[in-house]
């Protein structure tokens, strides 16, 4: 295998890949994102941008749980949260994120 075949397409990875594609109005397959979808997304994101926040630590924990549950087994994520000083996984989070696994 060549080095090229082992490389990941940087335009579809990372936290900013989706935002960049949305800003360009182009999906990863090169097709345009329909205007109605872009308009709805923009409207909802504007509402979210104006929402009062409850605190950075709460948001950090929420993101860790939401994204971590996709990549980290339940017991390990629970321990990592506790070790870092966050509250452990709540029953409703376990039911939502891990019930189908």
């Amino acid at each position: 295998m060549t080095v090229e075949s082992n490389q990941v397409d940087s335009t579809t990875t990372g936290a900013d890949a989706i935002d960049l594609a949305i800003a360009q109005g182009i999906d990863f397959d090169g097709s345009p994102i329909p205007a109605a979808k872009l308009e709805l997304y923009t409207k909802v994101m504007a509402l979210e941008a104006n929402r009062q926040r409850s605190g950075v630590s709460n948001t950090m924990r929420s993101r860790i749980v939401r994204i971590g549950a996709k990549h980290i087994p339940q017991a390990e994520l629970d321990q990592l949260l506790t070790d870092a000083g966050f509250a452990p996984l709540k029953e409703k989070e376990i039911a939502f994120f891990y019930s189908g696994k």
Side-chain angles (χ1 to χ4, degrees), residues 14-15 18 61-78 80-81 89 93-94 96-101:
I18 297 291
R61 185 190 177 282
S62 177
R63 289 178 180 177
I64 291 166
V65 171
R66 181 172 39 90
I67 296 167
K70 296 175 189 176
H71 306 283
I72 304 170
Q74 176 187 333
E76 184 179 350
L77 181 57
D78 194 53
L80 290 168
L81 286 167
L89 290 169
E93 292 169 333
I94 294 169
F96 184 81
F97 292 110
Y98 289 101
S99 65
K101 293 184 177 180

Side-chain angles (χ1 to χ4, degrees), residues 28-100:
F28 291 151
D29 65 3
S31 64
I33 300 169
K37 289 182 178 181
L38 287 171
E39 289 170 20
L40 177 58
Y41 179 83
T42 301
K43 180 179 180 177
V44 172
M45 291 302 107
L47 293 169
E48 180 65 9
N50 290 321
R51 183 175 63 88
Q52 180 64 43
R53 305 299 175 185
S54 61
V56 175
S57 287
N58 290 340
T59 300
M60 287 174 60
R61 185 190 177 282
S62 177
R63 289 178 180 177
I64 291 166
V65 171
R66 181 172 39 90
I67 296 167
K70 296 175 189 176
H71 306 283
I72 304 170
Q74 176 187 333
E76 184 179 350
L77 181 57
D78 194 53
Q79 187 63 54
L80 290 168
L81 286 167
T82 303
D83 291 348
F86 288 109
L89 290 169
K90 301 170 187 169
E91 288 300 318
K92 68 180 184 177
E93 292 169 333
I94 294 169
F96 184 81
F97 292 110
Y98 289 101
S99 65

Side-chain angles (χ1 to χ4, degrees), residues 4-17:
E4 285 181 15
S5 65
N6 289 331
Q7 292 178 346
V8 176
D9 185 353
S10 64
T11 62
T12 61
T13 61
D16 298 329

